[in-house]
Amino acid sequence: MSSLDDAAAVITGASSGIGEATAHALAERGANVVLVARRREALESVADDVRSDHGVEAVVADGDVRDPATSQAAVEAAVDEFGDLDVAVVNAGVARGSDVATMTDKEYSVMQETNVDGAFFLTRAALPHLTESEGSLIAVGSFAGEYPRSFNPVYAATKWWVRGFAHSVAAQVGDEGVAVSVVNPSEVRTEFGSEDGEPFEERFEPGSVTEPEEVAEAIAFAASRPGSTAQEIDLFRRDKFADTL
């Protein structure tokens, strides 16, 4: 286990699921964390658990990633509280609707503004500090951002954007010492999908798909490379290719 002692990390979508698990995974390695999501009460609970379980500091920065001020405030909180920013995790993401012909303007906008704009806002706010610290930017992508899929092409397109954006940012800032990674899970047993029906944590039995802790371990691995970059990590359920392709 590589150490992140006294590192400072910002994590979006940190109130549950992959974000919550990532807070624990980074804190276990010694990082102090700034937790970002809309649900302040849930964030406070995660922060309390992180402090008691790992003996690090955890700061709550509640807000909507669709608002650029949220990412700016979270990065400033990391710098003010911990002196710098070493890790930024672009995790917040949503899916709404399904087929293009019946998708509402609101469903489309929520996905674009959260998955695309939110990723850009955090990256923009974080990069000057990650350049100073030679830190790591890690984006949570998706199987849907690597392969064509018939279900919800708009969600898939947002994840293709995140992946392409991250790799191009890597090309831009790699010579400044910043590591940029993409972690691509397939289905993960979280609250994901609850807005449109049954959440994945109820739809899938334990052991049948990826757990949030597995994704968090991949993120922590990417965050703790001392001189290299884990450019892309795929975490698919074992029958995903047989089922999909």
Side-chain angles (χ1 to χ4, degrees):
M1 183 184 297
S2 299
S3 173
L4 289 170
D5 284 345
D6 297 322
V10 169
I11 307 161
T12 63
S15 60
S16 65
I18 293 171
E20 179 180 2
T22 298
H24 282 278
L26 298 183
E28 184 181 12
R29 288 161 170 79
N32 301 303
V33 295
V34 177
L35 308 176
V36 185
R38 290 174 296 171
R39 298 178 293 177
R40 184 172 185 87
E41 186 174 341
L43 284 178
E44 293 284 7
S45 178
V46 174
D48 288 343
D49 290 343
V50 166
R51 295 185 197 107
S52 62
D53 290 353
H54 308 292
V56 300
E57 292 300 319
V59 173
V60 168
D62 58 311
D64 193 327
V65 297
R66 294 179 290 179
D67 181 352
T70 296
S71 289
Q72 190 63 45
V75 169
E76 288 175 0
V79 174
D80 290 345
E81 293 289 332
F82 309 128
D84 208 343
L85 177 66
D86 303 284
V87 180
V89 182
V90 178
N91 169 64
V94 298
R96 296 287 187 273
S98 175
D99 59 292
V100 173
T102 61
M103 182 168 288
T104 67
D105 292 350
K106 183 176 181 180
E107 289 169 336
Y108 172 82
S109 296
V110 166
M111 285 189 285
Q112 289 290 118
E113 293 168 3
T114 304
N115 302 357
V116 173
D117 296 352
F120 170 75
F121 293 146
L122 179 59
T123 301
R124 182 178 64 181
L127 274 182
H129 302 282
L130 296 178
T131 299
E132 288 185 13
S133 66
E134 295 192 347
S136 299
L137 173 70
I138 301 149
V140 177
S142 173
F143 179 93
E146 296 184 281
Y147 301 96
R149 66 201 295 264
S150 60
F151 182 76
N152 203 336
V154 173
Y155 172 77
T158 67
K159 289 300 186 177
W160 279 81
W161 188 95
V162 167
R163 184 168 172 256
F165 176 63
H167 287 325
S168 295
V169 169
Q172 187 173 79
V173 300
D175 61 355
E176 298 180 64
V178 180
V180 183
S181 306
V182 184
V183 177
N184 300 304
S186 54
E187 299 88 346
V188 184
R189 285 191 354 101
T190 68
E191 295 177 354
F192 189 84
S194 60
E195 292 289 338
D196 288 326
E198 189 178 22
F200 280 10
E201 61 189 353
E202 296 177 10
R203 188 181 310 176
F204 297 102
E205 292 293 327
S208 64
V209 295
T210 307
E211 297 293 333
E213 290 77 13
E214 296 178 79
V215 185
E217 284 299 310
I219 293 169
F221 175 85
S224 56
R225 300 306 88 209
S228 60
T229 301
Q231 183 183 48
E232 194 152 18
I233 303 174
D234 293 339
L235 292 169
F236 302 157
R237 72 173 204 247
R238 294 186 179 185
D239 66 343
K240 187 63 177 175
F241 284 149
D243 176 69
T244 304
L245 299 179

